[in-house]
Amino acid sequence: MNLQQHFDIRLPGWIDGFVDNWLKAPGARLDTAGQRMSLAVALSAENVRQQTGGPFGAIVVEENGSRLVGVGVNLVTRLNMSAAHAEIVALSLSQRVVESWNLGSIGAMQLVTSCEPCAMCFGAVPWSGVASVVCGARKEDAEAAGFDEGDKPEDWTATLIRRGIEVKLDVMRAEAARVLHDYAACDGAIYHPGRT
């Protein structure tokens, strides 16, 4: 039997230069939720422009600082891997950077994502060790573009809050939703088991 025994999650080659240029732009900072979301949304839009995946971007940043720990973009179609959502990619690569499965082991970390987590990414949030989550677009925005966000508790924010994870919604929602809308309007690949 010849089974696949490993996989690599590699960000597209344009990421490093894009993030470096974004951080060097006048006024570019990662101090506030809006500034952080600006980068996550920019990553989602650039991922579409570069045709390297779906219209989702995420970053992990120190909650009480401005150090960028990791970034992620949706790589589902590029890697043929349904788990390669922007949040999972950002969390996983950040865990490699801090050399721990628990991002909270080195201080409070924040996940900033261009769209609220789908069912899978919602499940990954508590296990990742982040202290807070900031979201741009809503589930309804992703579903309006054709994506299936899966089933999660109606009160998903309360579920995370009960676990000590703060949640902030609708940060740059219109801008983040526009990326989803534009992707669907340009016939971007909408991937879920109900579609081929």
Side-chain angles (χ1 to χ4, degrees), residues 8-178:
D8 293 321
I9 295 179
R10 295 180 192 273
L11 291 171
W14 58 264
I15 291 275
D16 281 342
F18 182 84
V19 172
D20 286 345
N21 288 336
W22 191 93
L23 291 171
K24 290 176 185 172
R29 303 191 47 89
L30 295 173
D31 298 328
T32 69
Q35 292 167 336
R36 294 169 182 183
M37 185 59 69
S38 181
L39 176 55
V41 171
L43 285 165
S44 71
E46 188 65 12
N47 201 40
V48 172
R49 193 181 80 69
Q50 294 281 347
Q51 299 181 355
T52 50
F56 303 92
I59 68 170
V60 174
V61 65
E62 287 180 336
E63 189 176 73
N64 299 314
S66 59
R67 181 171 76 103
L68 181 63
V69 179
V71 304
V73 292
N74 184 285
L75 301 173
V76 170
T77 57
R78 184 169 189 234
L79 298 179
N80 291 316
M81 186 182 299
S82 63
H85 289 200
E87 298 95 329
I88 300 294
V89 172
L91 292 169
S92 299
L93 293 175
S94 296
Q95 289 164 338
R96 296 298 299 265
V97 167
V98 304
E99 298 180 337
S100 174
W101 58 267
N102 180 3
L103 290 170
S105 67
I106 64 163
M109 295 290 168
Q110 182 175 81
L111 172 66
V112 181
T113 176
S114 66
C115 187
E116 78 175 64
C118 69
M120 176 181 67
C121 296
F122 164 75
V125 167
W127 289 353
S128 71
V130 296
S132 61
V133 179
V134 176
C135 307
R138 291 277 189 118
K139 174 182 180 178
E140 303 87 68
D141 302 318
E143 289 178 344
F147 289 97
D148 180 351
E149 295 297 280
D151 299 323
K152 63 185 181 192
E154 285 290 323
D155 63 346
W156 69 273
T157 57
T159 301
L160 292 179
I161 291 167
R162 279 193 299 275
R163 288 178 165 263
I165 300 168
E166 293 181 34
V167 179
K168 185 175 181 100
L169 300 174
D170 300 332
V171 176
M172 294 182 60
R173 180 179 180 182
E175 294 87 343
R178 171 62 56 193

